[in-house]
Amino acid sequence: MAGTDILTFFVNGRKVEEKDPDPYISLLDYLRYTLRLTGSKAGCKEGGCGACTVMVSEYDNTSKKIRHYSANACLLPLCGLHGLAVTTVEGIGSKETRLHPVQEKIAEAHGSQCGFCTPGMVMSMYTLLRNNPEPTEDDIRSFLDGNLCRCTGYRPILDGFNKFSKGVCGKGDQCCRNKIYDNVPSASGSTASDTVPNGTSFSPYDQTQEPIFPPELKNNWSQYQKSLVFKNGQVTWYRPSTLTELLDLKTKHPDSKLVRGNTEIAIETRFKGQTYAVQIDVTKVPELNQIAKAPSGITYGSAVTLTDIKETLETAIKEMPEAATRVFRGFLDVIRWFASTQIRNVASIAGNIMTASPVSDLNPLLMAAGATLRVTRKGGAVREMKVDSNFFTKYRTTCLAAEDILLSVEIPATKKNEFFQSFKQGPRKEDSISIVNAGMRVVFEEDSDIIKELYLAYGGMAPVTIMATKTMKSLVGSRWQNDLVPKATSLLAEELQLDPGAPGGMCEYRQSLSTSFFFKFYLSVQLALCHQIGVSGIPTSYRSAVSDIDCSLPTTNYVYDDVSSGQPPNDSVGRSLLHESGIQHATGEAVYVDDMSSREGELFMTLVLSERPHARLVSVDATEALSLPGVVDFITHKDIPGEKTWGQPGPGEEVLASDKVLCRGQAIGAIVAERREISANAATKVKVVYEDLKPVFTIQEAIKTESFHGGPQSMTNGDPESAFKTCDHVLEGEARTGPQEHFYLETMGTLVIPGCGDGAMEVHTGTQDPTFTQDAVCRTLGLTSNKVVVKVKRLGGAFGGKQSRHLLGALPAAVAAQKLGRPVRCVLERQVDMATTGTRSAIWARYKVGFNKDGKIIAYSVNVYLNAGMSVSQSRLVVQKILFQIDAMYRIPNLTCIGNACKTNLPSNTAFRGFGVPQATLVTEQMILRVAEYLQKPPEQIRLLNMFSPGDVTHYKQELTPCSGRRCWDECLTNSQFEKCRREVDLFNSENRWKKRGIAVVPVKFSACFAATVSMLNQGSALVHIYRDGSVLVAHGGVEMGQGIHTKMIQVASRELGVPPSIIHVETYSTDTVHNVSLSAGSGTADINGAAVQNACQQLLQRLKPYMTPKGTWKDWIKAAYMDRVQLMATGFYKIDGLHYDPASDKNVMYNYFVYGAACSEVEIDCLTGEHHIIRSDIVMDAGQSLNPTVDIGQIEGAFIQGYGLYVLEDYQVSPDGVLLTQGPGTYKIPSIGNIPSQLNIHLLRNSNNKQAIYGSKGVGEASYGLGISVFSAIADAVKSARADAGCTDRFQLDCPATPEAVRMACQDQFTRKVKPTPEGGFKPWTIRLS
């Protein structure tokens, strides 16, 4: 094994050889930056988003078959690929060659919006088909459990991929899923289910047409199994091929790391600063990859993957008697939810054991099952040991010596008198780290219910996996009867206590889970004993506690108006034209900022960030960093030639901190280097000395210290104080929302290219506001706007987060590019992006409401406090929006609202989809629930009684005409069969104690476009060219970020010019083409830019009229006009007129129009864990005359799921020191594919026409966000039933987000009451509540 070998593997059929590969380089980085295969996206680099998914193939010499598996390229070490074949999205199809059916189907189904996640989705599905050409729908959903999407809501992705599933629906072609594609003309005029825009026919899947596995890897298999050594820098990678070699290496290098899937080591080295000089790849040691079955159990070699374990356990369960497989079933129940498919495909059982994580999914199961390990070392005998209470000695440490090698693990079979069950509770079901997990096993005396042995193992309850030994010993000899539960749970509550400030937090919840899990185990075993030996069973109402919540496969139904039969075929308005970049998304050919090719002389920039929340900068020393090879410069505030502060709407924060830092993550300087890895390493070498100042983090602290951005903002209508005196009832309450991370899949990125000696700058960046970006760069560099060109091709998601916060990296990059005269690229890593760029603001509100005995609200007073962060950014505008939208959908004659933007030492918070309306909606809907509860009336009755009607006037004196809110409400009640479902929910709740259902229907009102107070933003511009061949080029002021704006602009031009969409192309946005544009936000982008495109097209059509002879063609007319020297280029412009606002006026027009909708959601919760599932959601939305129904439906369901994330799922956590604890998908959980409703029905309100926007359309991308509160309200409804059963008569309010912790602790019962309450003060909590 002496010397250094050559790494050889294949990528898309091409042989790759690499001498001296770096063990720290991932496959993803090699694909993107060496091979320039940028289809695989860098979404998180921790294996949590799936954007980098590739297929790995290898030859199995035993079965003589090719094995394919999906994997995260960001985790796969380059050195581990020897002898393997990698397939990326570029390798299966492209627009220039042919499209693979998987790529076709996801595009056909409108399964991409921003498109950043799409290549990963495609490759997961592609790998599934390579292994199983006819998967079930459940196979498809399960295989996508490691792929996140922030835009679509997942439904269209499943719809597209389910086309590969046999037996999709018993209705065949009449399936409701097919209706959405009916009468959908494409560019060629045929239906979208037949062709894509480039005319390529959609083809069925044919496995025989797939690329062959490289023959060299098969024919020379034995040569690729040989031992290897790779050395690069200070790291050596060994790949032994025998156990003897492995033992020798481990003895020689006892501190070496054994590598199988690299899923843990990659995180440690990338994010935790760990270094391992020697790494040993164990994948080719035969003894570690063996599987042996015996009556006593199944023995797995330590390198066997979790996927292989899962498959063998499934086979064993089918083949062996039920009584023998109870442990196997318990393991399967957890492995199914272990991380993701991509992780399970490479991670080993030994890796799970030896990392010794206290929240390991498998270690409690191994401990409870009494699993046997076989261990050896060089010169020693093979010894066996049990995974018992002595195996894990301290945090992430086992009792094994450094030179020991874990050979195998035996998972034992069970006997007839033995029962086993596993439990896991995380923030969500898929790909989620456990909060608490457990394995429980009981052995009874023969044919009795007397406990002979009991094993209760827990993860998440101590620094190590532990056994509840005291409880176990105390219960031996007891009978498995009802009196066991209070005794056992009391013992567990006493034994498994957590200190209030224990790592991980959620102490009361975790302790309640420990007893709740035992109760579930008791019920399950009692039910089994009832069948097995005839003991008494369990109450019928308790039986649902035994099983998991049923997450049925999702079904969907959509209703919208078809275009009229007389509409010309070339007129694509109102038709579901495919996303103009949908095919490029699916093939990986869509280019984002960091996909752009490197420019000559390009440098990479890494920001040096503050590690203190509030401090003076004593010194900043970059000497060590600048001494490193490849480092070019360190940029500071002294290098800025122009203005040193920036902000929107006005200057508010420094480009680079000069004297003081105001939050963790504030940029102090920036390292510029020849390569990104050099830059990243050098940034850690900059030494900063701080003088700490007292920070402010929470709203309560800001109120106490009077720390605000400006004075309070307020709005009053009527006389609330006088009105309160006339009300039958007056109540006071409060409401809060937490922060929400944007989690766009593409992180912030910028490439700045300086001009050739003319002082000009070309800025490629991901922004929603190119004009502001241009202005900010000019001010920072001291340039005029005609010297700076900003270009935006597309964004991989934005949601308001890229309105201004991208400048955190863009401005320093521009400074560096100007100073050094070389292109500079700055792309934030996911964890840095999340820690620096801000979120949706958390709010806290106190309200007072006066109402009559019938529920009519007379007066409403609200004080809202918003956690703005260190600079004002958008926060005062968000407060203003809250003031105007605090009425939600309700007419309240006397209303006052006061808002404050709190100045805290957190990264500056910013715009987010809905711009304050989701927070305002939550406050007022909580108030509605409070009124309904007080009057003991159904909430929907209170909502309807106070709901706006046509002609009503808002508290800012704008008449709501037209107002379709009540139509949406009535249709939603009808479509959802609300009354019937309400009765069914009540019946279910009366029959079930530990599972509860809830139902709620909620209306929404959203103001589209920008307010009269910023009316200058309500303008759009466009440029339309017609070329001599008849093709049309459109440039407009909108930024494509997944909302389909380019597609809609093509449809507008198609209608106005009377030409097919196939000959129209939308150009990359550039400030030198269309200038002074408004930001893409507020759901008005299509309105203003569509009208501008329309204006330009109408000018052109007017010029062409003299040449449009009946017998001529479009090309004939263009040729004739050109020959006659007619200008075939026109600029279009549009502005929204008629908006005005005066607080003293009785008649205002603050907004151009309103969007209305309603949603009804039904949920089921597990009262013992807090877990939930959405059974059904019905949505009715007024989209006017939709420009593109399927694009609008995609926006509606994507916003709905994102809003559901805000209200229910996403838990943003900050430590008392201001450290963000939820950095990346591993700790911050957005909705995944398993969170979508089992039944989702979306209806676009029929016969609606909006006279205020182009072709009667409406912008719906933000309005539907608030509909997610229907899920929140339904969960609250379910909790109410649980509390009633528990005899809880005191009032409760479910706070947002309604996480499993919040739901479980609201469902008070005998188990939560055993938990000692957390004391007030006297300890340092794990997290703080920012609101």
Side-chain angles (χ1 to χ4, degrees):
M1 297 182 66
T4 299
D5 297 292
I6 296 177
L7 173 69
T8 304
F9 64 106
F10 283 74
V11 176
N12 299 332
R14 169 192 163 198
K15 187 175 182 178
V16 177
E17 294 183 318
E18 188 73 24
K19 186 178 181 181
D20 301 326
D22 186 345
Y24 281 150
I25 293 293
S26 69
L27 171 61
L28 178 63
D29 286 349
Y30 190 79
L31 291 173
R32 291 182 57 81
Y33 309 129
T34 301
L35 301 183
R36 293 302 305 161
L37 295 173
T38 58
S40 302
K41 306 302 182 188
C44 69
K45 292 192 176 182
E46 63 175 68
C49 72
C52 65
T53 302
V54 298
M55 185 180 80
V56 181
S57 305
E58 62 180 337
Y59 179 64
D60 184 341
N61 195 48
T62 302
S63 65
K64 308 299 181 184
K65 294 181 179 178
I66 310 300
R67 176 172 173 259
H68 308 288
Y69 57 92
S70 58
N72 298 115
C74 69
L75 295 182
L76 288 178
L78 182 65
C79 291
L81 296 171
H82 190 74
L84 303 180
V86 174
T87 304
T88 72
V89 70
E90 292 94 340
I92 71 171
S94 70
K95 287 186 70 174
E96 300 305 318
T97 55
R98 71 176 184 91
L99 298 179
H100 190 277
V102 173
Q103 295 167 324
E104 293 174 345
K105 294 303 181 186
I106 195 170
E108 174 193 8
H110 295 257
S112 72
Q113 288 185 21
C114 84
F116 201 81
C117 73
T118 310
M121 294 283 184
V122 166
M123 290 311 299
S124 285
M125 185 66 204
Y126 175 78
T127 308
L128 174 59
L129 289 178
R130 291 301 303 268
N131 289 299
N132 181 5
E134 296 184 359
T136 66
E137 291 189 16
D138 191 48
D139 291 335
I140 294 170
R141 181 174 67 170
S142 297
F143 223 74
L144 297 175
D145 61 0
N147 293 83
L148 295 179
C149 176
R150 193 56 153 166
C151 298
T152 66
Y154 299 100
R155 183 278 314 169
I157 298 169
L158 284 175
D159 277 1
F161 289 163
N162 282 341
K163 300 289 184 180
F164 296 104
S165 173
K166 296 299 180 181
V168 171
C169 178
K171 296 181 180 179
D173 292 339
Q174 299 303 310
C175 174
C176 63
R177 300 181 185 186
N178 296 327
K179 293 180 181 179
I180 198 167
Y181 307 114
D182 293 346
N183 304 314
V184 182
S186 70
S188 62
S190 54
T191 62
S193 57
D194 295 327
T195 63
V196 291
N198 66 357
T200 304
S201 298
F202 284 132
S203 54
Y205 180 60
D206 182 357
Q207 197 174 33
T208 64
Q209 300 302 305
E210 296 292 3
I212 65 171
F213 183 74
E216 178 182 330
L217 297 181
K218 178 180 178 181
N219 298 335
N220 301 321
W221 177 83
S222 59
Q223 295 182 21
Y224 284 101
Q225 309 309 303
K226 294 180 180 179
S227 303
L228 299 170
V229 181
F230 300 127
K231 294 183 179 180
N232 190 305
Q234 299 179 354
V235 181
T236 302
W237 175 283
Y238 294 98
R239 194 190 75 173
S241 60
T242 67
L243 180 59
T244 301
E245 285 180 305
L246 174 60
L247 294 173
D248 287 342
L249 285 169
K250 191 59 174 165
T251 300
K252 185 178 180 181
H253 306 285
D255 294 329
S256 60
K257 273 286 184 176
L258 303 189
V259 184
R260 203 304 171 197
N262 202 50
T263 56
E264 184 73 16
I265 295 173
I267 303 301
E268 292 176 342
T269 57
R270 199 169 293 159
F271 304 119
K272 299 180 181 180
Q274 300 290 336
T275 57
Y276 301 109
V278 177
Q279 299 180 31
I280 305 173
D281 180 355
V282 300
T283 57
K284 298 303 177 182
V285 179
E287 292 88 342
L288 305 189
N289 287 283
Q290 296 174 353
I291 300 175
K293 297 181 182 179
S296 61
I298 304 176
T299 299
Y300 294 99
S302 58
V304 173
T305 67
L306 297 181
T307 293
D308 287 338
I309 292 175
K310 176 176 178 287
E311 291 173 355
T312 54
L313 290 176
E314 289 171 342
T315 301
I317 288 170
K318 293 176 183 177
E319 296 175 349
M320 298 172 67
E322 182 277 331
T325 62
R326 290 167 183 164
V327 165
F328 300 165
R329 293 173 190 273
F331 271 78
L332 266 183
D333 287 344
V334 165
I335 290 176
R336 179 186 177 188
W337 304 113
F338 185 106
S340 64
T341 298
Q342 295 94 320
I343 298 293
R344 295 191 295 270
N345 286 337
V346 299
S348 68
I349 188 169
N352 208 250
I353 295 170
M354 298 307 296
T355 54
S357 169
V359 290
S360 157
D361 285 350
L362 298 184
N363 287 340
L365 278 61
L366 293 166
M367 188 178 283
T372 301
L373 307 183
R374 293 175 68 248
V375 180
T376 191
R377 67 180 67 170
K378 184 178 180 179
V382 175
R383 62 191 192 275
E384 293 186 350
M385 62 175 62
K386 294 288 187 181
V387 183
D388 56 20
S389 57
N390 299 314
F391 184 78
F392 300 103
T393 57
K394 59 182 180 179
Y395 179 70
R396 288 189 174 269
T397 306
T398 72
C399 64
L400 299 185
E403 63 270 22
D404 281 337
I405 296 292
L406 175 57
L407 296 176
S408 65
V409 182
E410 183 192 35
I411 299 178
T414 47
K415 298 178 181 178
K416 182 181 178 182
N417 61 329
E418 189 175 3
F419 298 89
F420 184 90
Q421 197 164 358
S422 60
F423 303 93
K424 173 182 177 177
Q425 184 59 49
R428 70 171 185 227
K429 203 74 171 175
E430 287 95 355
D431 195 5
S432 188
I433 296 173
S434 297
I435 296 170
V436 175
N437 54 6
M440 299 184 182
R441 179 168 64 102
V442 62
V443 182
F444 293 104
E445 299 288 353
E446 198 69 30
D447 294 326
S448 79
D449 63 353
I450 299 174
I451 300 172
K452 181 180 180 180
E453 300 173 27
L454 180 63
Y455 303 91
L456 306 175
Y458 288 91
M461 296 302 296
V464 297
T465 303
I466 60 168
M467 286 272 207
T469 53
K470 293 180 181 178
T471 302
M472 289 156 43
K473 291 177 182 178
S474 298
L475 297 180
V476 170
S478 300
R479 304 196 67 174
W480 202 265
Q481 294 180 354
N482 288 339
D483 60 353
L484 180 72
V485 173
K487 179 181 179 182
T489 53
S490 294
L491 288 167
L492 286 170
E494 184 65 30
E495 184 173 2
L496 302 179
Q497 294 188 38
L498 293 168
D499 292 333
M506 299 182 280
C507 296
E508 292 183 29
Y509 177 49
R510 288 154 66 187
Q511 292 174 87
S512 73
L513 286 175
S514 68
T515 53
S516 297
F517 284 166
F518 180 83
F519 180 57
K520 281 175 169 280
F521 181 54
Y522 167 79
L523 294 175
S524 176
V525 172
Q526 186 70 4
L527 195 60
L529 288 174
C530 175
H531 295 298
Q532 187 164 302
I533 62 174
V535 300
S536 59
I538 61 176
T540 304
S541 62
Y542 280 30
R543 293 197 171 196
S544 61
V546 173
S547 59
D548 287 339
I549 291 177
D550 178 31
C551 299
S552 304
L553 291 170
T555 61
T556 52
N557 182 48
Y558 307 98
V559 175
Y560 55 84
D561 285 336
D562 287 331
V563 299
S564 66
S565 58
Q567 183 167 315
N570 280 340
D571 182 354
S572 60
V573 170
R575 305 183 195 271
S576 291
L577 193 71
L578 298 187
H579 194 294
E580 54 90 31
S581 293
I583 296 297
Q584 292 172 284
H585 294 159
T587 61
E589 294 170 289
V591 175
Y592 302 83
V593 171
D594 202 32
D595 298 336
M596 297 175 65
S597 299
S598 297
R599 292 342 194 229
E600 183 178 356
E602 180 179 303
L603 301 171
F604 195 86
M605 168 179 282
T606 299
L607 298 176
V608 175
L609 305 172
S610 168
E611 296 179 352
R612 297 288 193 278
H614 192 198
R616 298 189 193 281
L617 294 175
V618 177
S619 65
V620 179
D621 183 3
T623 304
E624 182 181 354
L626 290 169
S627 69
L628 297 176
V631 174
V632 176
D633 203 354
F634 177 59
I635 304 298
T636 72
H637 66 96
K638 298 176 183 178
D639 296 303
I640 300 172
E643 297 180 11
K644 298 181 186 296
T645 61
W646 69 279
Q648 192 183 44
E653 58 189 283
E654 292 185 294
V655 176
L656 295 169
S658 59
D659 175 62
K660 186 187 295 185
V661 289
L662 301 178
C663 71
R664 291 181 186 270
Q666 184 176 353
I668 296 172
I671 289 288
V672 185
E674 298 289 349
R675 299 203 309 270
R676 64 182 69 211
E677 65 272 19
I678 295 174
S679 175
N681 178 55
T684 66
K685 308 300 181 184
V686 177
K687 294 178 172 59
V688 183
V689 177
Y690 304 90
E691 179 189 327
D692 289 327
L693 302 171
K694 185 175 177 58
V696 172
F697 296 128
T698 71
I699 287 175
Q700 305 303 328
E701 290 171 345
I703 295 172
K704 184 177 180 180
T705 59
E706 298 184 344
S707 178
F708 301 111
H709 291 293
Q713 299 167 260
S714 64
M715 178 178 293
T716 299
N717 180 52
D719 186 354
E721 288 307 312
S722 297
F724 280 124
K725 299 174 184 178
T726 69
C727 297
D728 295 335
H729 308 286
V730 177
L731 297 174
E732 294 186 12
E734 63 181 48
R736 55 171 41 90
T737 67
Q740 185 182 28
E741 165 63 35
H742 299 84
F743 212 95
Y744 29 71
L745 266 291
E746 178 201 22
T747 61
M748 302 289 193
T750 299
L751 172 61
V752 183
I753 305 169
C756 299
D758 59 359
M761 286 284 167
E762 184 174 289
V763 181
H764 298 265
T765 190
T767 179
Q768 298 170 245
D769 196 345
T771 297
F772 176 65
T773 302
Q774 180 186 38
D775 181 65
V777 171
C778 289
R779 289 174 180 272
T780 302
L781 301 184
L783 300 175
T784 53
S785 294
N786 58 356
K787 289 293 186 73
V788 174
V789 176
V790 176
K791 297 189 174 185
V792 185
K793 178 66 176 176
R794 58 172 60 84
L795 308 184
F799 318 116
K802 295 178 181 176
Q803 186 169 317
S804 64
R805 304 311 295 172
H806 65 289
L807 292 170
L808 294 172
L811 294 181
V815 172
Q818 185 187 58
K819 178 183 178 182
L820 301 173
R822 295 171 64 178
V824 175
R825 188 185 302 247
C826 180
V827 179
L828 302 187
E829 298 288 348
R830 170 63 58 189
Q831 290 69 24
V832 174
D833 189 296
M834 292 184 70
T836 61
T837 60
T839 66
R840 180 192 299 281
S841 296
I843 69 152
W844 177 65
R846 296 174 60 185
Y847 64 81
K848 181 178 179 182
V849 58
F851 52 98
N852 289 341
K853 59 185 177 181
D854 61 352
K856 188 71 173 178
I857 297 171
I858 307 301
Y860 185 34
S861 173
V862 190
N863 278 275
V864 178
Y865 296 89
L866 177 147
N867 196 323
M870 53 88 84
S871 73
V872 66
S873 187
Q874 306 293 311
S875 293
R876 285 186 65 83
L877 293 175
V878 173
V879 169
Q880 182 187 80
K881 187 78 167 182
I882 290 173
L883 299 183
F884 281 96
Q885 298 286 293
I886 196 67
D887 58 351
M889 185 54 195
Y890 308 111
R891 182 180 180 275
I892 303 173
N894 300 280
L895 184 155
T896 185
C897 185
I898 301 172
N900 279 281
C902 298
K903 184 178 181 180
T904 57
N905 296 112
L906 296 168
S908 186
N909 293 317
T910 188
F912 200 134
R913 197 176 197 170
F915 206 72
V917 179
Q919 296 101 306
T921 301
L922 184 281
V923 173
T924 298
E925 289 299 338
Q926 289 279 47
M927 177 270 287
I928 293 289
L929 291 175
R930 181 79 192 277
V931 171
E933 179 188 39
Y934 184 85
L935 296 175
Q936 296 186 332
K937 293 178 181 290
E940 59 272 13
Q941 182 177 328
I942 305 300
R943 291 182 173 115
L944 181 60
L945 180 66
N946 292 283
M947 196 177 298
F948 279 118
S949 296
D952 283 344
V953 177
T954 69
H955 60 290
Y956 46 91
K957 299 297 193 288
Q958 179 165 354
E959 183 178 328
L960 300 180
T961 303
C963 174
S964 58
R966 285 179 177 260
R967 282 186 59 203
C968 293
W969 173 270
D970 292 342
E971 190 170 315
C972 186
L973 290 176
T974 301
N975 295 344
S976 65
Q977 300 177 294
F978 179 80
E979 295 298 335
K980 175 176 176 290
C981 289
R982 176 77 266 177
R983 292 191 295 271
E984 292 173 349
V985 165
D986 292 341
L987 178 62
F988 178 91
N989 290 342
S990 69
E991 296 175 345
N992 292 273
R993 171 62 186 92
W994 301 107
K995 292 273 189 359
K996 293 294 181 180
R997 291 182 178 176
I999 189 170
V1001 58
V1002 176
V1004 295
K1005 168 177 65 69
F1006 187 86
S1007 52
C1009 299
F1010 296 104
T1013 50
V1014 286
S1015 60
M1016 82 292 287
L1017 297 176
N1018 286 313
Q1019 59 176 300
S1021 302
L1023 178 64
V1024 178
H1025 298 270
I1026 303 175
Y1027 293 93
R1028 287 187 296 174
D1029 62 359
S1031 62
V1032 179
L1033 180 67
V1034 175
H1036 63 89
V1039 172
E1040 177 60 67
M1041 47 194 168
Q1043 82 279 42
I1045 183 65
H1046 287 354
T1047 306
K1048 289 183 175 182
M1049 296 306 97
I1050 288 173
Q1051 291 176 279
V1052 171
S1054 167
R1055 165 172 283 187
E1056 293 300 326
L1057 298 176
V1059 298
S1062 57
I1063 69 169
I1064 304 172
H1065 176 69
V1066 177
E1067 182 57 281
T1068 295
Y1069 176 78
S1070 180
T1071 54
D1072 61 353
T1073 304
V1074 181
H1075 67 298
N1076 299 339
V1077 300
S1078 298
L1079 70 156
S1080 294
S1083 295
T1085 307
D1087 295 352
I1088 57 176
N1089 291 289
V1093 170
Q1094 179 187 43
N1095 176 246
C1097 290
Q1098 288 175 349
Q1099 294 177 49
L1100 290 167
L1101 204 62
Q1102 190 66 30
R1103 298 172 196 168
L1104 289 171
K1105 276 187 177 180
Y1107 310 95
M1108 298 173 67
T1109 60
K1111 293 183 179 181
T1113 65
W1114 172 255
K1115 287 187 177 181
D1116 293 335
W1117 304 334
I1118 299 305
K1119 182 179 180 181
Y1122 170 75
M1123 296 301 291
D1124 207 20
R1125 293 172 295 176
V1126 173
Q1127 186 183 33
L1128 296 177
M1129 179 271 289
T1131 58
F1133 182 76
Y1134 174 77
K1135 62 177 180 177
I1136 296 175
D1137 286 323
L1139 302 187
H1140 55 88
Y1141 175 71
D1142 180 352
S1145 174
D1146 288 333
K1147 190 171 184 179
N1148 289 311
V1149 183
M1150 185 68 174
Y1151 301 105
N1152 195 33
Y1153 62 87
F1154 294 88
V1155 183
Y1156 301 92
C1160 177
S1161 291
E1162 181 182 346
V1163 303
E1164 183 174 317
I1165 67 169
D1166 185 329
C1167 303
L1168 292 167
T1169 64
E1171 186 180 333
H1172 75 276
H1173 179 67
I1174 310 172
I1175 298 171
R1176 173 176 174 173
S1177 289
D1178 289 84
I1179 296 173
V1180 177
M1181 206 75 201
D1182 180 5
Q1185 294 292 310
S1186 174
L1187 297 176
N1188 187 317
T1190 309
V1191 166
D1192 284 344
I1193 286 171
Q1195 288 292 293
I1196 291 167
E1197 60 194 335
F1200 173 75
I1201 293 297
Q1202 202 173 70
Y1204 153 75
L1206 166 68
Y1207 295 123
V1208 176
L1209 194 65
E1210 299 176 39
D1211 191 13
Y1212 187 89
Q1213 296 183 1
V1214 174
S1215 79
D1217 300 318
V1219 176
L1220 177 61
L1221 301 175
T1222 46
Q1223 295 185 33
T1227 49
Y1228 186 82
K1229 297 301 178 183
I1230 68 171
S1232 64
I1233 203 162
N1235 291 115
I1236 65 176
S1238 289
Q1239 184 176 354
L1240 177 62
N1241 306 310
I1242 298 179
H1243 289 215
L1244 300 187
L1245 191 68
R1246 292 183 160 182
N1247 303 314
S1248 176
N1249 186 41
N1250 177 30
K1251 296 180 180 179
Q1252 301 303 114
I1254 187 167
Y1255 306 143
S1257 63
K1258 285 188 175 185
V1260 297
E1262 292 183 276
S1264 41
Y1265 201 102
L1267 296 176
I1269 203 170
S1270 63
V1271 180
F1272 175 88
S1273 300
I1275 291 173
D1277 183 53
V1279 170
K1280 182 180 178 181
S1281 175
R1283 291 175 63 86
D1285 282 1
C1288 297
T1289 58
D1290 58 319
R1291 181 184 175 271
F1292 90 101
Q1293 177 173 295
L1294 191 63
D1295 278 332
C1296 167
T1299 61
E1301 177 192 13
V1303 173
R1304 174 65 186 102
M1305 299 315 293
C1307 294
Q1308 290 288 302
D1309 53 39
Q1310 63 265 41
F1311 308 115
T1312 59
R1313 294 188 188 107
K1314 292 180 184 292
V1315 178
K1316 294 180 180 179
T1318 301
E1320 291 289 335
F1323 68 96
K1324 185 177 182 179
W1326 181 249
T1327 63
I1328 54 175
R1329 185 159 63 179
L1330 300 181
S1331 57

